[in-house]
Structure formats: C-alpha cells, structure tokens
Amino acid sequence: MRRWTAAVAMVLFAASVAAAEEWRAPAEAKATKNPVARATGLKDGKAAYDANCAVCHGSRGKGDGPGGAALNPKPKDLADKVIQGQSDGELFWKISEGRGVMPPWKHLPESVRWSLLHYMRSLASKK
Ligand code: HEC
C-alpha cells in the first residue's frame, strides 16, 4: 500500500513540476556526476543527438530544428548559458524526464544520455 501512495505522490509531484514555469531538477539529481569519459561521450553523444534531438533543437543546438518551429514553448537553445550553466546531473534528469512537448528520453541507455551531455557541452556559445 505504501508503495502505491509513494507512486501516486510522485505522479502528482511530476505534474506540479510540469505546471511550474521554471523547470528544476531534484537536488540529488543535480549532484550526480557524468560517469562517461569525454572522448567516448563526444562521439556517441553526437550520433545520438543527430538521431534524436536535432529535429527540434537544430543541428548546432540553436533551437532552430524544423520539428520545433511550430512548438510552444520553442525548443531551447542548448548553447545558451541558461542551459550551459546547469550541472550535467540536472540536464541528465531533464532529458530523462522530459516536460510537455520535450519528450522523455528514458528509453535511451543511461550511457547514451550521459554522452549527450558531453556533446551538448561542445555546443556551448564561445562568447
Ligand atoms: C519534439 C521536439 C524535441 C525533441 C525531439 C527534443 N527536444 Fe529538448 N526541448 C524541446 C522543447 C519544446 C523544450 C522546452 C520545454 C519546456 O521548457 O517546457 C526542450 C527543452 C530541452 C532542454 C532544456 C531544459 C531546461 O533547463 O530548460 C534540454 C537540455 C533539452 N531539451 C535537451 C534535449 C535532448 C538532449 C534531446 C534529444 C535526446 C531533445 N532535447 C529532444 C523539444 C524537443
């Protein structure tokens, strides 16, 4: 019974997070370190990004992919400091969970999701 209660509470929590304007990851998710080595991650991450994310976020992560044009809200510019300023763990959690029109990516192996983080870091604006 307690498990069910916890599951229901988690669903309600997820719904309330989705409704909130600011998208925040739980503290323990934020602190998680990327276990994938950078060299491997960059290569695997680019392949996964091109296959799954570029359609909305654009080939360079600018949020200008053809699939994102009609969405509200628009896909985020992944190179922006608003995104780059977040920890790997935080972004990993958001990519895994999704929100609204941003799909959840839990079906991708964890190592692929961490690899995406390495690739996303390489997209950071050099300003
Ligand atoms: C169907 C279009 C679509 C696809 C495909 C997609 N995204 Fe998104 N993404 C969005 C939208 C829309 C938002 C803004 C969601 C919001 O703010 O509620 C977003 C937001 C994000 C954010 C921002 C989180 C924040 O702090 O605001 C990250 C990071 C992200 N996406 C990464 C990815 C990655 C990595 C992939 C591929 C595995 C991906 N997205 C695939 C549409 C998409």
Side-chain angles (χ1 to χ4, degrees):
M1 278 303 271
R2 295 197 62 185
R3 282 205 178 158
W4 279 109
T5 316
V8 168
M10 275 172 68
V11 169
L12 290 176
F13 175 72
S16 70
V17 167
E21 269 202 13
E22 201 175 333
W23 191 4
R24 287 178 206 237
E28 73 272 15
K30 281 189 192 182
T32 312
K33 295 274 182 285
N34 192 335
V36 173
R38 188 164 181 275
T40 323
L42 278 177
K43 189 163 79 41
D44 294 354
K46 182 180 185 340
Y49 181 88
D50 289 348
N52 300 296
C53 321
V55 62
C56 288
H57 288 277
S59 59
R60 292 294 301 157
K62 293 287 177 200
D64 56 358
L71 297 180
N72 182 23
K74 291 269 175 287
K76 294 287 161 68
D77 175 356
L78 300 178
D80 191 85
K81 57 181 184 309
V82 173
I83 304 298
Q84 295 290 333
Q86 300 181 41
S87 73
D88 281 5
E90 182 161 26
L91 293 170
F92 177 90
W93 184 87
K94 290 182 178 182
I95 292 165
S96 304
E97 299 296 322
R99 175 172 92 159
V101 282
M102 161 68 185
W105 296 96
K106 278 210 174 106
H107 55 288
L108 296 179
E110 282 200 10
S111 61
V112 171
R113 278 177 270 149
W114 285 117
S115 295
L116 279 165
L117 260 303
H118 283 298
Y119 182 65
M120 281 171 52
R121 295 298 179 201
S122 77
L123 299 174
S125 305
K126 306 276 188 298
K127 275 182 238 156

